[in-house]
Amino acid sequence: MSISALQKARYEYQPKVPAILTEKLDNIAIEFGKATESVADQADLKSLFKNTYGKPLATFKKGANPDVSKQLNVGIILSGGQAPGGHNVIAGLYDGVKKGNKNSKLYGFLGGPSGLIEGQYVEITDELMDAYRNTGGFDIIGSGRTKIETPEQYAASMETAKKMDLDAIVIIGGDDSNTNAALLAEKFVEAGAKTRVIGCPKTIDGDLKNEMIETSFGFDTACKTYSELIGNIERDANSAKKYWHFIKLMGRSASHIALECELQTQANYCLISEEVEAKKMTLRQITDDLCKIIAKRAETAGNFGVILIPEGLVEFIPEMKTLIAELNDKMALKADEFNKLVSFAEKKDWLKANLSAASYETFASLPESIAAQFLADRDPHGNVQVSRIDTEKLLAMMVEGRLAEMKKEGTYKGKFSSYCHFFGYEGRCAFPSNFDADYCYSLGFTAFLLIASGVTGYLSSVRNLTAPAAEWLAGGVPLTMMMNMEQRHGSKKPVIKKALVELDGEPFKKYAANRDKWAVNTDFLFPGAIQYYGPDAVCNATTKTLQLEHQK
Ligand code: FBP
């Protein structure tokens, strides 16, 4: 296989780790804090997680660990969407496992959680691992979105673990996958099986975070990659001065990615879904706000600019949210009927008869090409796939229409021409930044220490991330501590609470304090490409979100 010069150089990169992880293994001991409680619904969760609820926080400190060299069989799963650094979590875990005992084995389940259910795996060897160190992607073993939820799936997972004599399984995933990790950990203990389950916080969306998990891995690299592209577009816009660029940014639900990219690039406007929801803004109001900025810039800066749009926006606009909820319900309940409809006109008639009058009106007001996207296949959780809805095109079309009206009214004198972009898959498999390479390797190594300390139902945790890596703190957070009960598919289910953008949080406040200025002026910032080698300030800075959140 031929490799690029950067790939070759990155193979050699030695990730920086917390000082405690550089100690001799038998001198790293687990230290427990006080028992924990879930974020809400304590009684329900206590009864669902009889064996694993309320465990104490764990931190690694200097001290004796006599069991660390025991021979182990460990399995690893990559779950959900790709995020830069996944290979390094595996590398950290692999190095820990082999350092503990060279006869220990690490197996990678193929294609995500389905690999565990179906018993499909490969053994990770030196040769295989070394070909993926410090690289992006999840291609070493592949990922998948299968949810382990039925009794048959649990039974099959246990059967695989038994056959492979697994001491532990590490699940690298977001909130849903780690909810699965918590349930699996409980089931194993309940069944008297020896297999322990440890999670690792992954998702570019940045919404798996709390007091103990400062950020999910991949957020840093993905935001830096998108910000480089946005900066390039800003420069192009400012050179040609003829286009308004509408850029949709990935992030299934929370607007962390859009907000971070805004802080890195100072684009003219950034919609924040959480604010739209809090202010109950309609699509018309959002359009009007954008038109005001465009009209103002036409008089001052010119007929160009950049607008950032979070991927999940449509689900936060009240009338759209109701429409999507009704569509999800009706399309699921009357699936046989709906699936027989062929043309858009037939589907529209069916919706007229099945949706509420208000939702049908919202649906009918959308351009046909966009409306059709609302009817596309749902994801395995029954959700509309927001990455497939061209929200950026919808807004550009709405703005164009409204500006034409404003021209007639005499309130707009500019010339409007738009360009639409969607940045998502471009950033999920980038070479991890130094931060993500270091963070992920440390998370993987810490996962090994948790396994070697005999705990189960924990999420690997590395904290104090704005300090130099040597000062980071390694430990574990009980998964039940991050859970609450939420309505899913008509019943209450235990889930890890998603962290949305907080409107009283420092990152949003920073944007809110500057947005009027950035909207009218051309205060663009050009972050450039991720740098792997060079001065510390250029290569090792964390995200603005993390810096602002730590400044409190
Ligand atoms: P995870 O939450 O699994 O990390 O995935 C996040 C994400 O990248 C979202 O930003 C996006 O909406 C979604 O995955 C796209 O999913 P898919 O890769 O299945 O198209």
Side-chain angles (χ1 to χ4, degrees):
M1 189 175 71
S2 52
I3 55 167
S4 70
L6 182 64
Q7 193 169 343
K8 189 161 180 280
R10 292 310 277 168
Y11 285 166
E12 311 297 322
Y13 178 74
Q14 293 298 317
K16 300 185 283 300
V17 297
I20 187 72
L21 303 190
T22 60
E23 288 292 321
K24 280 181 71 188
L25 283 188
D26 56 7
N27 194 27
I28 309 177
I30 194 161
E31 202 175 278
F32 291 111
K34 285 201 203 108
T36 58
E37 291 276 15
S38 58
V39 282
D41 309 308
Q42 290 83 7
D44 286 341
L45 287 158
K46 221 179 255 183
S47 76
L48 285 169
F49 293 88
K50 292 200 170 57
N51 302 287
T52 50
Y53 180 86
K55 300 274 180 204
L57 287 168
T59 312
F60 290 103
K61 298 264 168 73
K62 278 192 204 176
N65 183 354
D67 291 334
V68 82
S69 55
K70 259 172 75 179
Q71 192 177 327
L72 297 170
N73 292 324
V74 178
I76 190 155
I77 298 172
L78 289 164
S79 182
Q82 285 69 252
H87 290 156
N88 266 28
V89 179
I90 302 182
L93 176 65
Y94 180 79
D95 290 351
V97 163
K98 292 288 178 185
K99 209 170 161 186
N101 184 317
K102 66 177 175 19
N103 296 318
S104 290
K105 305 252 186 239
L106 179 65
Y107 300 101
F109 286 103
L110 299 174
S114 61
L116 173 65
I117 299 169
E118 291 157 15
Q120 298 289 320
Y121 59 87
V122 286
E123 185 182 340
I124 311 280
T125 58
D126 282 351
E127 200 188 359
L128 181 61
M129 194 66 257
D130 291 348
Y132 288 91
R133 286 179 191 270
N134 306 302
T135 59
F138 278 7
D139 41 333
I140 184 170
I141 49 174
S143 183
R145 289 198 184 274
T146 304
K147 217 175 160 193
I148 304 177
E149 55 184 348
T150 65
E152 295 75 29
Q153 287 173 324
Y154 280 118
S157 305
M158 288 203 197
E159 191 52 35
T160 305
K162 199 170 163 194
K163 264 195 206 148
M164 293 172 71
D165 192 28
L166 288 185
D167 295 283
I169 297 172
V170 175
I171 299 182
I172 303 176
D175 50 344
D176 282 335
S177 313
N178 278 298
T179 297
N180 240 206
L183 287 162
L184 210 52
E186 177 67 23
K187 299 263 180 211
F188 278 122
V189 183
E190 205 176 81
K194 69 167 181 174
T195 315
R196 305 182 282 275
V197 184
I198 302 296
C200 278
K202 171 235 72 167
T203 177
I204 60 161
D205 294 2
D207 55 8
L208 175 53
K209 65 174 171 181
N210 50 54
E211 233 176 284
M212 303 307 298
I213 302 294
E214 295 175 1
T215 187
S216 54
F217 79 75
F219 177 70
D220 185 271
T221 311
C223 289
K224 284 174 179 162
T225 306
Y226 303 142
S227 296
E228 179 209 350
L229 301 176
I230 296 164
N232 295 350
I233 285 175
E234 287 179 336
R235 232 177 187 148
D236 199 292
N238 198 23
S239 307
K241 301 197 195 300
K242 61 178 180 181
Y243 294 126
W244 270 92
H245 293 269
F246 286 65
I247 306 177
K248 182 175 77 168
L249 291 155
M250 226 178 212
R252 172 78 188 75
S253 202
S255 309
H256 297 295
I257 294 180
L259 179 56
E260 172 63 25
C261 291
E262 173 64 24
L263 295 172
Q264 287 194 30
T265 62
Q266 299 179 186
N268 299 103
Y269 201 68
C270 175
L271 285 155
I272 300 295
S273 307
E274 291 82 346
E275 185 185 28
V276 166
E277 184 172 54
K279 291 185 174 167
K280 299 190 173 50
M281 290 173 79
T282 62
L283 190 55
R284 174 63 197 243
Q285 282 171 313
I286 295 172
T287 308
D288 283 350
D289 280 359
L290 295 177
C291 289
K292 272 186 211 144
I293 292 166
I294 292 168
K296 189 137 192 214
R297 276 182 68 80
E299 285 167 18
T300 53
N303 294 304
F304 70 96
V306 176
I307 296 166
L308 306 185
I309 302 149
E311 179 184 73
L313 180 69
V314 284
E315 287 197 299
F316 288 77
I317 302 172
E319 74 264 27
M320 296 282 184
K321 190 176 178 174
T322 313
L323 167 66
I324 291 170
E326 281 189 36
L327 284 173
N328 287 349
D329 273 4
K330 299 290 173 193
M331 285 165 66
L333 286 171
K334 299 188 175 182
D336 291 346
E337 226 177 278
F338 182 79
N339 292 337
K340 284 192 194 122
L341 308 169
V342 182
S343 71
F344 182 73
E346 278 176 327
K347 290 179 185 169
K348 212 169 159 186
D349 284 345
W350 186 86
L351 291 173
K352 192 168 190 177
N354 283 281
L355 295 179
S356 66
S359 285
Y360 180 73
E361 200 184 312
T362 307
F363 182 81
S365 71
L366 297 171
E368 188 175 314
S369 58
I370 307 283
Q373 294 168 349
F374 280 76
L375 306 180
D377 291 344
R378 272 37 192 168
D379 74 6
H381 305 276
N383 299 317
V384 67
Q385 301 191 55
V386 280
S387 60
R388 305 245 183 120
I389 296 181
D390 295 333
T391 319
E392 70 287 13
K393 290 190 185 142
L394 171 64
L395 286 175
M397 284 188 240
M398 304 277 298
V399 162
E400 188 164 16
R402 179 74 193 113
L403 287 174
E405 288 171 11
M406 286 169 67
K407 216 164 210 175
K408 281 190 198 144
E409 295 160 8
T411 48
Y412 172 61
K413 296 191 178 57
K415 194 167 166 279
F416 178 75
S417 201
S418 66
Y419 239 93
C420 293
H421 315 258
F422 170 35
F423 297 152
Y425 300 97
E426 292 81 350
R428 295 201 314 183
C429 284
F431 277 97
S433 60
N434 286 349
F435 172 82
D436 270 328
D438 300 345
Y439 181 43
C440 289
Y441 187 90
S442 304
L443 283 171
F445 203 98
T446 303
F448 159 71
L449 290 174
L450 289 166
I451 296 166
S453 308
V455 299
T456 190
Y458 276 70
L459 190 64
S460 174
S461 141
V462 174
R463 294 185 293 127
N464 199 27
L465 297 171
T466 46
E471 293 166 35
W472 291 355
L473 304 169
V477 186
L479 285 161
T480 57
M481 188 185 174
M482 307 185 299
M483 297 179 100
N484 65 0
M485 302 294 291
E486 287 177 21
Q487 198 73 17
R488 296 278 165 99
H489 297 297
S491 61
K492 286 238 166 195
K493 294 264 164 68
V495 289
I496 289 180
K497 202 166 185 286
K498 227 185 230 315
L500 299 180
V501 167
E502 287 175 9
L503 301 182
D504 58 356
E506 295 305 317
F508 180 77
K509 277 180 9 200
K510 166 97 186 188
Y511 172 51
N514 286 286
R515 68 173 147 191
D516 290 347
K517 195 171 62 162
W518 293 348
V520 180
N521 299 344
T522 303
D523 281 342
F524 298 154
L525 275 181
F526 313 116
I530 294 176
Q531 303 295 310
Y532 300 94
Y533 305 97
D536 198 50
V538 179
C539 299
N540 296 316
T542 55
T543 56
K544 305 258 181 210
T545 303
L546 205 51
Q547 288 167 29
L548 288 161
E549 283 173 349
H550 275 245
Q551 170 187 294
K552 281 183 280 183

